[in-house]
Amino acid sequence: MSDELFVLGLSHHTAKVEQRERLSTSIQSVGEELRRLLESEEIREAVLVSTCNRVELYALSSPAGVEKARSYLLNRGGDDLLPHLYEKRSRDAVHHTFRVASSLDSLVVGEPQILGQLKEAFDAATEVKAVGPFLSRLFTSGFAAAKRVRSETAIAEGTVSVSSIACELAEKIFGQLEGRRALLIGAGEMGESAAKTLAKTGASLVILNRSVERAEALARQIDGAGRSLDALVEELLKADVVISSAASHGYLLDEHLMRDVIRARRHRPLFLIDIAVPRNIDPRVGDYDGVFLYDVDDLKSVADENLAKRRRETLAAEKILEEEVESFLEWKRGLSVKPTIIALRSRFERIVRDELSRTLPRLSSVSEEDRKLLERMSASIVNKLLHPPLKELKDGAEDPALLEAVHRLFALQVEGNDEGEEDGESVSEPKKSGAFAALQRLRIASSEGDHG
Amino acid sequence: MWVSAFFIITIALYLTAWTLELASVFRPYRGARKLSAILVGGAACAHLAYIAFEYYIHRHSPLADLNGSLAALSLGVIVALLLIQQRKKIPSLGIFIIPITLVFLLGAALIRGVAEVPERVASALLQVHIAFNVSGLIAFTLAAAAALAYIVQEHLLRKKRIVGAFQQLPSLEVLDNVSARASQIGFPLLTAGVITGAVFITRAGSGAFWGSTQTIGILTWIVFAFVLVLRLVGGYRGKRAALGTLIGFACGVSVLAAYALRIGGGV
């Protein structure tokens, strides 16, 4: 029975985080896991991808290998994971690989991390020699497909995280944020996340909190300065970006306070991000010239709009993937009939060679030029004779009956064992990781007459 | 024939470049900006050829009449745009600058021969006066285009329409800086233009040349002076400064319009 590509795993589509984490493995341990998996003879090539949203095994194996892989995963994660495991084979598996690489299967469509994670998993598998020509071709084709999707569609455009949007907006007001001063009021989770994103751009951070200890603790984490909320006005005068996420029942930054602050700032632009609920900043403050006020709903609506835009692009992306999947399958089809084609051509050429060497010495006065002419003519006859059957073979590469018919018609012997080469024109099976073996497990050798 | 051919090629290239820039704001695609820059560069070459052929045919300086001055002004604006794009890589500024250039260039063609300078007043000083004013207007056109872009961008930001076109336009800070810098460069040139103009009128011997154009010219100078002083002393920037710059530019364009409308030409 021939080998087949399969993908076995679970993802955010089928399993909750507590289920996914039972199967997940660090990139450092992937090599060891693969070594153990490849101890099974049935599994020829394998790549293990483990991210926070998915754990998937991509492998080339016999059907028995699929069962072994399934048992392996269940042994690691527990039998109760069985309903959450999905399995994709052949074309579906290729399509799935390309979708994952292009981030169409991601929780946040278009996110760029998955491609890097796939590359990392592929490299780890290559390092332990778990990757052969088939998976190598599959993954490099997947990476190329992902690149095409990113450059030919808007799938990766527009930020979809609230903190990144806040950061992008700040850049649209101030240009470079390096050297700018950002003020975080309160130490809530969302504010902290936005502050961390801002800190990465080179802006200096000051955290104000009712509890100075808490402010200083957070400041240490993000390389900022912590102060008491009493320094609010002083810091507002210096800040360029203010992120407010304090728990407060009234407005912390009311219109009266901000009017004086804005006047004292001498028209310097101020970007206010109010991500607290209830809000910390009086919405009327946003009407002042040079003040830009965004609340959490504003940022969320931008994120939703960008995400919707990305989803609209998935249709165009899927079209690209269809083309790429077809191109990969065409390569695969060509690969599966290649040994037959080589054997067939080799057989015909051998016959011509033998007949010429038998006939030419019997002819009187054949010049070197005549000999070359005869050889060329013979080669041309072979090519013309072989053209229709070879074309049929390539077109119907996945039809085992056709392959069988060709083997019988032209007396090509198909062997299922690993015997050594018999003569120059036989097509030997590469070792375990070889492309032909990986696909077909066929040994095709010329039968009688091949030895002249 | 050559003049008309170069003129049509110039207009066509500017329009194509502008359409491409505009399209890439709403639907960004790879290479659009580069292609647009090449088209603008090509248009500038055709523009230069147009001015050169005009000079060759009429045998007078491009600054000798309003037609030539407008053609030179529009070319100067485009050269300044190309220089800025080369050094600062400010995206989409061409969207605002190219239409202004086109208006100047079409104006140059439409008011051909109307504002010929009479022989009796033509002098080297007048050429210097026009050269200063044209150079000042080149800088103010850049300042106004950046100010207009600022107002559009600020409006989008305030209305929270921050996907699509917003993402392609430069930051408010960059636009404000370009506008301020261009105004700072244009102002001394305009001042020199005003001084040489005053000297020219004095030498011509009477107040006969004083009229609405000169009044609006002085108004332009006052508006830009006001904007620059407020920027420097009052810390004004952003929308208010942008509006002031646009008012100043409108005054500057009104001077040109007033010249164009003056039947019989003259200064």
Side-chain angles (χ1 to χ4, degrees):
Chain A
M1 197 96 185
S2 65
D3 287 343
E4 197 178 21
L5 168 71
F6 73 87
V7 180
L8 194 62
L10 42 76
S11 72
H12 59 97
H13 293 300
T14 62
K16 289 180 179 166
V17 64
E18 54 267 29
Q19 290 155 340
R20 297 199 299 271
E21 67 192 7
R22 276 156 55 193
L23 268 190
S24 76
T25 183
S26 69
I27 192 73
Q28 290 79 17
S29 320
V30 159
E32 191 46 44
E33 299 277 353
L34 288 173
R35 264 194 213 106
R36 249 177 269 155
L37 259 169
L38 289 171
E39 280 169 10
S40 154
E41 269 295 307
E42 287 84 2
I43 300 172
R44 313 204 161 271
E45 299 179 35
V47 173
L48 183 63
V49 177
S50 178
T51 72
C52 49
N53 284 325
R54 68 184 65 246
V55 180
E56 288 177 332
L57 178 70
Y58 297 75
L60 184 76
S61 84
S62 64
V66 183
E67 290 316 312
K68 289 219 166 159
R70 198 191 317 275
S71 308
Y72 182 83
L73 291 178
L74 292 177
N75 278 342
R76 284 190 59 233
D79 285 346
D80 60 318
L81 287 184
L82 185 62
H84 304 284
L85 282 183
Y86 49 78
E87 181 195 325
K88 291 173 193 296
R89 293 188 189 211
S90 301
R91 191 186 198 286
D92 286 348
V94 176
H95 186 238
H96 179 77
T97 313
F98 289 9
R99 284 192 93 239
V100 171
S102 310
S103 186
L104 293 187
D105 199 58
S106 296
L107 183 63
V108 178
V109 173
E111 53 92 7
Q113 287 86 5
I114 185 65
L115 189 58
Q117 288 163 332
L118 271 192
K119 283 180 178 169
E120 223 172 39
F122 177 70
D123 289 344
T126 308
E127 218 164 89
V128 294
K129 297 186 172 57
V131 174
F134 188 85
L135 282 192
S136 175
R137 176 79 178 213
L138 176 75
F139 275 81
T140 46
S141 301
F143 300 151
K147 200 174 166 193
R148 256 194 85 190
V149 165
R150 291 185 91 76
S151 62
E152 291 177 28
T153 71
I155 196 103
E157 275 174 23
T159 312
V160 291
S161 91
V162 166
S163 19
S164 300
I165 289 167
C167 202
E168 263 186 18
L169 283 172
E171 278 173 346
K172 278 293 177 192
I173 296 168
F174 300 106
Q176 294 282 329
L177 291 181
E178 200 168 352
R180 295 281 176 182
R181 198 174 173 94
L183 178 64
L184 174 64
I185 305 170
E189 199 182 316
M190 213 160 169
E192 187 185 323
S193 159
K196 280 179 180 167
T197 313
L198 269 172
K200 282 181 199 158
T201 63
S204 63
L205 277 166
V206 177
I207 297 135
L208 297 185
N209 201 42
R210 286 191 182 91
S211 150
V212 186
E213 292 76 29
R214 172 106 177 85
E216 282 173 346
L218 180 58
R220 275 193 294 277
Q221 279 180 43
I222 51 179
D223 199 19
R227 295 189 71 181
S228 151
L229 202 53
D230 297 338
L232 180 64
V233 175
E234 187 193 328
E235 287 297 337
L236 280 172
L237 291 175
K238 296 186 218 162
D240 297 299
V241 181
V242 176
I243 304 163
S244 192
S245 67
S248 165
H249 286 293
Y251 292 133
L252 270 178
L253 277 63
D254 60 28
E255 198 200 358
H256 179 71
L257 167 81
M258 289 308 289
R259 191 173 49 222
D260 295 340
V261 167
I262 290 158
R263 196 172 297 147
R265 289 171 57 90
R266 297 184 73 215
H267 314 285
R268 248 178 347 109
L270 179 63
F271 182 32
L272 301 171
I273 306 158
D274 188 355
I275 46 182
V277 181
R279 288 177 293 178
N280 288 168
I281 307 171
D282 188 335
R284 287 174 297 181
V285 173
D287 296 336
Y288 282 99
D289 197 27
V291 176
F292 304 94
L293 170 62
Y294 277 70
D295 64 28
V296 71
D297 282 356
D298 297 328
L299 298 176
K300 189 82 176 47
S301 71
V302 176
D304 291 345
E305 204 172 326
N306 281 338
L307 202 56
K309 206 170 138 193
R310 284 185 179 192
R311 288 204 180 109
R312 284 197 294 274
E313 287 295 310
T314 55
L315 211 64
E318 286 287 6
K319 274 187 190 161
I320 293 170
L321 290 194
E322 279 303 319
E323 285 172 27
E324 293 293 329
V325 168
E326 271 315 308
S327 154
F328 178 81
L329 292 177
E330 205 178 310
W331 168 82
K332 181 177 167 261
R333 278 194 291 270
L335 199 61
S336 65
V337 293
K338 211 168 180 179
T340 306
I341 291 172
I342 291 170
L344 196 59
R345 186 174 280 284
S346 166
R347 180 164 165 69
F348 271 63
E349 283 169 359
R350 170 69 66 104
I351 292 168
V352 167
R353 224 172 23 248
D354 290 348
E355 288 307 314
L356 278 175
S357 59
R358 230 186 321 244
T359 312
L360 284 175
R362 290 185 203 161
L363 295 173
S364 57
S365 67
V366 178
S367 66
E368 182 64 16
E369 203 175 313
D370 291 341
R371 198 181 60 77
K372 280 183 182 164
L373 206 66
L374 279 167
E375 280 173 0
R376 271 205 296 274
M377 185 191 74
S378 311
S380 172
I381 291 170
V382 166
N383 283 339
K384 280 177 181 162
L385 280 173
L386 280 178
H387 181 71
L390 292 187
K391 191 176 177 301
E392 278 301 313
L393 259 179
K394 283 175 188 167
D395 292 347
E398 288 191 338
D399 181 2
L402 180 66
L403 268 181
E404 179 62 30
V406 171
H407 295 152
R408 284 184 65 189
L409 279 172
F410 295 98
L412 301 173
Q413 195 181 1
V414 179
E415 293 172 12
N417 54 31
D418 283 356
E419 285 169 21
E421 280 191 20
E422 289 167 24
D423 69 343
E425 72 197 36
S426 69
V427 181
S428 67
E429 178 191 355
K431 293 299 172 197
K432 194 173 173 182
S433 61
F436 303 157
L439 278 163
Q440 213 179 19
R441 299 288 290 156
L442 289 177
R443 174 161 172 76
I444 302 161
S446 309
S447 65
E448 47 78 36
D450 284 355
H451 305 281
Chain B
M1 192 196 85
W2 281 108
V3 173
S4 307
F6 278 119
F7 182 76
I8 290 165
I9 291 169
T10 306
I11 297 282
L13 285 173
Y14 280 140
L15 271 176
T16 314
W18 183 70
T19 311
L20 199 66
E21 281 233 11
L22 198 63
S24 71
V25 163
F26 293 102
R27 176 85 201 182
Y29 51 98
R30 213 195 296 176
R33 293 231 166 92
K34 201 173 173 187
L35 183 60
S36 166
I38 292 169
L39 285 171
V40 173
C45 293
H47 195 151
L48 184 65
Y50 161 68
I51 292 174
F53 270 94
E54 277 269 312
Y55 172 74
Y56 179 74
I57 291 165
H58 298 294
R59 298 279 172 196
H60 62 58
S61 149
L63 300 180
D65 60 13
L66 188 57
N67 160 260
S69 300
L70 279 174
L73 167 61
S74 48
L75 178 62
V77 172
I78 288 297
V79 171
L81 170 69
L82 288 170
L83 288 174
I84 288 180
Q85 300 286 43
Q86 185 79 19
R87 288 185 58 191
K88 301 244 177 194
K89 303 256 183 285
I90 302 169
S92 308
L93 203 54
I95 292 172
F96 300 90
I97 289 180
I98 296 172
I100 301 174
T101 307
L102 275 171
V103 169
F104 286 153
L105 193 57
L106 287 169
L110 290 173
I111 57 175
R112 182 177 295 273
V114 172
E116 287 286 332
V117 180
E119 279 295 318
R120 65 190 169 84
V121 294
S123 76
L125 187 62
L126 179 63
Q127 297 281 302
V128 174
H129 163 68
I130 294 173
F132 275 130
N133 284 345
V134 166
S135 308
L137 260 179
I138 290 171
F140 290 148
T141 306
L142 284 177
L148 188 60
Y150 183 99
I151 286 169
V152 170
Q153 183 75 311
E154 202 247 17
H155 175 77
L156 293 172
L157 195 61
R158 208 165 270 286
K159 293 285 168 197
K160 289 154 190 177
R161 281 151 58 183
I162 50 177
V163 285
F166 171 80
Q167 287 166 330
Q168 306 305 318
L169 294 175
S171 70
L172 294 180
E173 177 85 4
V174 165
L175 291 170
D176 193 52
N177 284 344
V178 170
S179 186
R181 190 88 190 100
S183 299
Q184 284 161 7
I185 293 169
F187 187 70
L189 293 166
L190 181 67
T191 307
V194 169
I195 292 168
T196 47
V199 173
F200 169 73
I201 288 172
T202 312
R203 279 198 191 164
S206 74
F209 298 112
W210 190 266
S212 57
T213 47
Q214 284 71 26
T215 309
I216 305 168
I218 293 295
L219 189 64
T220 307
W221 186 89
I222 292 169
V223 172
F224 274 107
F226 197 62
V227 170
L228 286 172
V229 167
L230 282 179
R231 270 188 184 276
L232 204 68
V233 181
Y236 268 56
R237 65 186 83 201
K239 195 175 172 185
R240 288 179 195 194
L243 285 172
T245 305
L246 284 175
I247 292 168
F249 177 69
C251 291
V253 171
S254 303
V255 175
L256 293 174
Y259 275 127
L261 292 171
R262 241 157 75 167
I263 297 165
V267 289

